[in-house]
């Protein structure tokens, strides 16, 4: 699948689950190609969200969308097959949750999915260096994972810059994603720092007009790049 970067990736965690089909359809009709699914186990993070059954439902609602599954769980290896079978295109795991990160990344690959590695706000970007050649995406958490609707941690922008610099130095081409507190105020700053994928939960779904909000966010995201006229 080819994407025009930067990509806006709505996180359905903030959607109204009684209208999930309709809300996802509104996203697709607004040009969204990438959907972010947040999986929380109540152990790695202090909240429980949903599991493979919902990812499978999203896959049915949006057969052509790119499904980005963010595992905020302990023992991710145990569930990779389930999420792959549910229709994930990319599975990302936390650096902090994986004792044998390289093995877990290989496991994801072997299940036919693209791979992502995620770091929490208190983890430094440099620690990712050894794994970067093996991943398709690196995700910087800009809130402490576990809940939607939290405030963006400003120092995350510097982490994006650093990661983009490392990508350049190592001549790699993994995607840089940011997740947490992303909205109209910071979208342009983030893409100008080097972010490719902007995950947005509350800012997309906690509004009366999802298509209008998506258009505004996409416009802001583009102003941070050189593509705008
Ligand atoms: C947080 C999740 C995020 C969250 C983003 O643990 O990983 O994807 O849903 O939500 P907002 O955009 O509301 O901060
Ligand atoms: Zn997420």
């Amino acid at each position: 699948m080819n994407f025009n970067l930067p990509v806006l990736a709505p996180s359905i965690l903030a959607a109204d689950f009684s209208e999930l089909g309709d809300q996802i359809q509104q996203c697709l009709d607004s040009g969204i190609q990438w959907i972010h699914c947040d999986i929380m186990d109540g152990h790695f993070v202090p909240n429980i969200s949903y599991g493979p059954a919902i990812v499978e439902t999203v896959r049915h609602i949006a057969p052509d969308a790119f499904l980005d599954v963010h595992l905020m769980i302990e023992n991710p290896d145990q569930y990779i097959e389930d999420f792959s079978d549910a229709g994930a295109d990319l599975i990302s795991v936390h650096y902090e949750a994986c004792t044998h990160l390289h093995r877990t990344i290989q496991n994801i690959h072997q299940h036919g999915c693209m791979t992502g590695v995620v770091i929490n706000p208190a983890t430094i970007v440099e620690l990712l260096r050894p794994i970067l050649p093996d991943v398709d995406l690196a995700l910087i958490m800009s809130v402490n994972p576990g809940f939607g609707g939290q405030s963006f941690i400003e120092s995350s922008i510097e982490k994006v810059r650093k990661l983009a610099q490392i990508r350049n130095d190592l001549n790699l081409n993994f995607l840089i994603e940011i997740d947490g507190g992303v909205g109209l105020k910071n979208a342009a700053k983030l893409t100008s720092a080097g972010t490719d994928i902007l995950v947005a939960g509350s800012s997309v779904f906690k509004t009366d007009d999802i298509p209008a909000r998506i258009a505004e966010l996409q416009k802001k995201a583009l102003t941070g790049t050189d593509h705008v006229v």
Side-chain angles (χ1 to χ4, degrees), residues 11 36-38 70 72 139 141 179 199:
S11 161
H36 184 85
C37 298
D38 285 308
H70 174 194
M72 287 161 273
L139 165 51
M141 288 307 301
D179 184 6
V199 175

Side-chain angles (χ1 to χ4, degrees), residues 11 26 59 62 82 97 99 115 144 146 150 179 205 216-217 221 229:
S11 161
Q26 288 190 52
R59 174 48 79 214
D82 293 341
T99 311
T115 58
N144 288 293
Q150 302 181 78
D179 184 6
F205 292 106
E216 283 177 296
L217 283 164
V229 270

Side-chain angles (χ1 to χ4, degrees), residues 9-26:
S11 161
I12 60 159
L13 188 67
D16 176 346
F17 273 66
S18 71
E19 296 185 9
L20 187 61
D22 174 64
Q23 297 207 337
I24 290 176
Q25 196 54 50
Q26 288 190 52

Side-chain angles (χ1 to χ4, degrees), residues 48-165:
I48 298 176
S49 59
Y50 53 83
I54 295 287
V55 174
E56 202 175 335
T57 303
V58 177
R59 174 48 79 214
H60 284 299
I61 298 167
D64 300 325
F66 185 86
L67 294 193
D68 159 20
V69 174
H70 174 194
L71 298 184
M72 287 161 273
I73 64 175
E74 288 178 2
N75 300 319
D77 285 275
Q78 207 178 323
Y79 298 97
I80 284 164
E81 184 158 347
D82 293 341
F83 285 104
S84 160
D85 289 349
D89 289 298
L90 180 146
I91 296 178
S92 53
V93 291
H94 271 258
Y95 171 89
E96 301 85 359
C98 297
T99 311
H100 304 290
L101 179 60
H102 184 266
R103 180 180 292 155
T104 305
I105 293 293
Q106 296 312 316
N107 190 7
I108 298 171
H109 264 309
Q110 279 156 13
H111 282 88
C113 294
M114 289 172 71
T115 58
V117 62
V118 192
I119 51 170
N120 281 334
T123 303
I124 58 170
V125 158
E126 279 74 6
L127 290 172
L128 290 178
R129 272 181 187 269
I131 201 69
L132 290 174
D134 299 294
V135 296
D136 300 297
L137 174 147
L139 165 51
I140 291 179
M141 288 307 301
S142 40
V143 299
N144 288 293
F147 302 93
Q150 302 181 78
S151 303
F152 182 82
I153 298 171
E154 285 296 328
S155 54
S156 313
I157 296 180
E158 197 42 45
K159 288 174 87 173
V160 171
R161 265 193 215 109
K162 221 169 247 176
L163 186 56
Q165 185 61 51

